[in-house]
Amino acid sequence: MTNKNDSNDGVARRALLAAGGATTFGALVGRVGAGSNRPAFDQHETDDGGDGTADSGHGVTVRQEPGNAFYWVLPGERRLSPQVFGTPENPLRGTDLLEARIEQAKGMPEPLDEAIPQLLQDLPPLVAAPEEAREPIEDGESDGIAQERFTEPTLYSDNAEVTSGSFEITYHDHQPYDLPGKPGETTDAVDLDAQFTDPAGNEYEIEHDHVVQPPIPGYETGGGVLQGQQLHGITGTGSPLFPQAYTYGASWGVGNVNVNGELATEDGFRVIHFMTTQTVRDERYRMPLDEELPLTPDETIAGRIHHTHGVVLPIRPTDQGPVYDPVPTAMELPNGETQPFIHAMWEQEELVEGPFDDWEYPGQEQNEASESEGSDGGDADFQLVGEASAWQGAAPDAISGEANPTLQLEAGTEYALVWENGDGLQHNFAIEDANGEDLLASELVSEQGATQTVTFTASEEMSEYYCQVHPQSMRGGIEVGG
């Protein structure tokens, strides 16, 4: 096995033990021709008569226009579902399962019989959560369900920042199940156009090349594209760290990543996995446990019943099979290293065509009609507009048009602040002291155009105001005089 970061292999793999949580690592199994950036998978055939354009008769199309909610997911820990992973006394889907899958992979044809076992050793979350990477959750931190957390950085974390992005994808599903042969021997196909930015402002574009069938033991991917099925969790297809979710459309493939207008993956393709699922982000953008699903629209970040994940994973094909190799992003993490994977989330997309494209969650329409718009803010001391990118000052004139304006207060004075939801995502208004302790926090509001009035008496310990759902981008200072 080759790796351009051989000198840092051990550290990098441990640091990214969970970075491979999506279902696509095995998709890169194959050979690369000398001097080629293209895996030597046999190209998938299409059922259009051979002109290279897939028949759209079995397609699922999803899109999100610019200006809607996009999240860049950062590495972080993941709570573990007892339903999926058991308890500390009776663990499930841990080291025993990992070892069993490795033994299965050793029976694959060359060179997969060595490449896939090594891949599973490098990236266990493809199939399991080893006990050595788990730690108990203390009673004071418990949510009443999870008893353990996966401590290695994972792409299924609750840590994400709002940036910008748009996409359109059509999943062409022509094959009902995986077939023997090379991963690229499939009639399934994908049309993808995706652009987005990271929290540092770097611009990305994904170039999808072709679909593959990932040969990971236990996976069933329907030929590399599927629709209308359950994935992840206890299904055996996809990382169990991701909760079991209904999937409108999903694809596994390989391709390139452009960063700031230049080809970043010039050393070889990376895995590209897109998946449109039932919403698995709650109102505070936490990824729920299996026991907490399904979420009602009011419990989701954008009031939607589905959203789309786009993942690029740190796996590169070589002539000896797939190897761990970080995705060359430009996003620098607090430890000084660059983020080695991409997990993009589109939260306000449109299911243009596909299964249940006109279905609504029971009671959703009635709940939307019954929400109150609240005050018009005419008598308020301060007026703000809440958007995931920032609080926008509306009144008085001193803060009008200013992003995250500083609020000037007098100690002992009572204030009325009215804010309007400007983008249809979940927001609230909170004030904290210099130690980060909350002094007040309002209820969440999700309807675009709805307003909320917050009254409070200014005190000297007030330091900053912020939205608890978007604490990085929606945060402003408070100055208290008197």
Side-chain angles (χ1 to χ4, degrees), residues 418-429:
V418 174
W419 66 273
E420 177 184 342
N421 187 310
D423 57 12
L425 299 180
Q426 296 274 9
H427 301 299
N428 75 336
F429 182 87

Side-chain angles (χ1 to χ4, degrees), residues 73-85:
V73 180
L74 295 158
E77 297 177 343
R78 169 70 174 138
R79 296 178 298 151
L80 295 181
S81 160
Q83 176 179 310
V84 178
F85 296 103

Side-chain angles (χ1 to χ4, degrees), residues 36-363:
S36 172
N37 188 39
R38 186 184 191 83
F41 301 142
D42 288 356
Q43 289 308 292
H44 59 270
E45 299 175 0
T46 61
D47 55 5
D48 65 326
D51 66 0
T53 303
D55 176 10
S56 62
H58 306 281
V60 176
T61 298
V62 191
R63 73 165 68 101
Q64 180 169 304
E65 300 294 340
N68 289 295
F70 172 85
Y71 286 75
W72 173 283
V73 180
L74 295 158
E77 297 177 343
R78 169 70 174 138
R79 296 178 298 151
L80 295 181
S81 160
Q83 176 179 310
V84 178
F85 296 103
T87 64
E89 297 77 22
N90 184 29
L92 301 173
R93 293 177 178 82
T95 303
D96 288 348
L97 177 59
L98 175 62
E99 292 176 350
R101 293 297 188 227
I102 289 173
E103 287 303 311
Q104 282 183 266
K106 290 179 180 178
M108 290 181 169
E110 294 182 356
L112 306 187
D113 59 338
E114 293 186 4
I116 298 303
Q118 184 63 57
L119 187 62
L120 294 178
Q121 290 176 18
D122 292 343
L123 298 165
L126 277 170
V127 296
E131 285 87 328
E132 58 266 28
R134 306 183 188 188
E135 72 174 19
I137 295 176
E138 301 298 331
D139 290 341
E141 304 174 283
S142 175
D143 55 14
I145 300 176
Q147 300 181 36
E148 297 177 287
R149 63 167 62 91
F150 192 80
T151 59
E152 300 291 344
T154 167
L155 56 82
Y156 299 130
S157 79
D158 298 336
N159 188 12
E161 293 192 23
V162 175
T163 61
S164 61
S166 61
F167 85 105
E168 180 167 343
I169 188 170
T170 298
Y171 308 94
H172 299 283
D173 185 15
H174 304 296
Q175 184 172 310
Y177 44 80
D178 293 337
L179 296 173
K182 295 180 180 180
E185 293 178 339
T186 174
T187 56
D188 287 351
V190 161
D191 296 323
L192 174 65
D193 180 22
Q195 304 87 26
F196 47 88
T197 61
D198 67 21
N202 298 295
E203 299 179 348
Y204 296 78
E205 181 179 7
I206 295 178
E207 295 180 356
H208 191 280
D209 192 83
H210 64 278
V211 169
V212 293
Q213 303 173 119
I216 294 294
Y219 281 24
E220 171 53 59
T221 66
V225 172
L226 53 76
Q227 60 178 277
Q229 297 188 34
Q230 298 281 334
L231 293 180
H232 293 281
I234 64 173
T235 67
T237 300
S239 171
L241 289 173
F242 189 98
Q244 181 173 329
Y246 176 80
T247 303
Y248 297 82
S251 65
W252 293 260
V254 295
N256 282 315
V257 177
N258 295 320
V259 181
N260 296 324
E262 297 184 357
L263 178 64
T265 49
E266 57 186 3
D267 59 345
F269 286 153
R270 297 301 193 276
V271 171
I272 297 172
H273 173 47
F274 266 67
M275 183 169 61
T276 301
T277 72
Q278 71 182 89
T279 302
V280 291
R281 289 284 180 178
D282 71 11
E283 68 273 16
R284 297 184 186 275
Y285 217 67
R286 297 170 297 193
M287 180 170 283
L289 303 174
D290 293 65
E291 293 88 339
E292 297 171 320
L293 293 175
L295 300 175
T296 68
D298 288 343
E299 294 172 325
T300 68
I301 188 66
R304 304 294 183 93
I305 60 174
H306 53 74
H307 58 180
T308 295
H309 318 245
V311 180
V312 184
L313 294 165
I315 302 295
R316 175 174 56 87
T318 75
D319 58 0
Q320 296 301 312
V323 298
Y324 166 82
D325 198 359
V327 179
T329 73
M331 177 61 195
E332 184 173 334
L333 300 173
N335 62 5
E337 298 182 2
T338 56
Q339 183 165 326
F341 63 82
I342 293 172
H343 188 178
M345 295 292 307
W346 288 271
E347 296 293 347
Q348 292 177 312
E349 30 86 304
E350 174 190 5
L351 182 59
V352 179
E353 180 182 7
F356 302 105
D357 52 10
D358 59 353
W359 185 76
E360 291 187 349
Y361 197 93

Side-chain angles (χ1 to χ4, degrees), residues 436-457:
E437 297 293 330
D438 286 335
L439 302 176
L440 67 87
S442 71
E443 297 295 320
L444 293 169
V445 175
S446 62
E447 182 184 1
Q448 186 170 5
T451 61
Q452 183 182 70
T453 300
V454 181
T455 58
F456 59 91
T457 299

Side-chain angles (χ1 to χ4, degrees), residues 459-477:
S459 61
E460 293 182 355
E461 63 261 39
M462 291 181 172
S463 177
E464 292 184 319
Y465 67 95
Y466 72 108
C467 167
Q468 291 178 319
V469 184
H470 306 97
Q472 288 82 26
S473 56
M474 299 179 68
R475 180 177 291 272

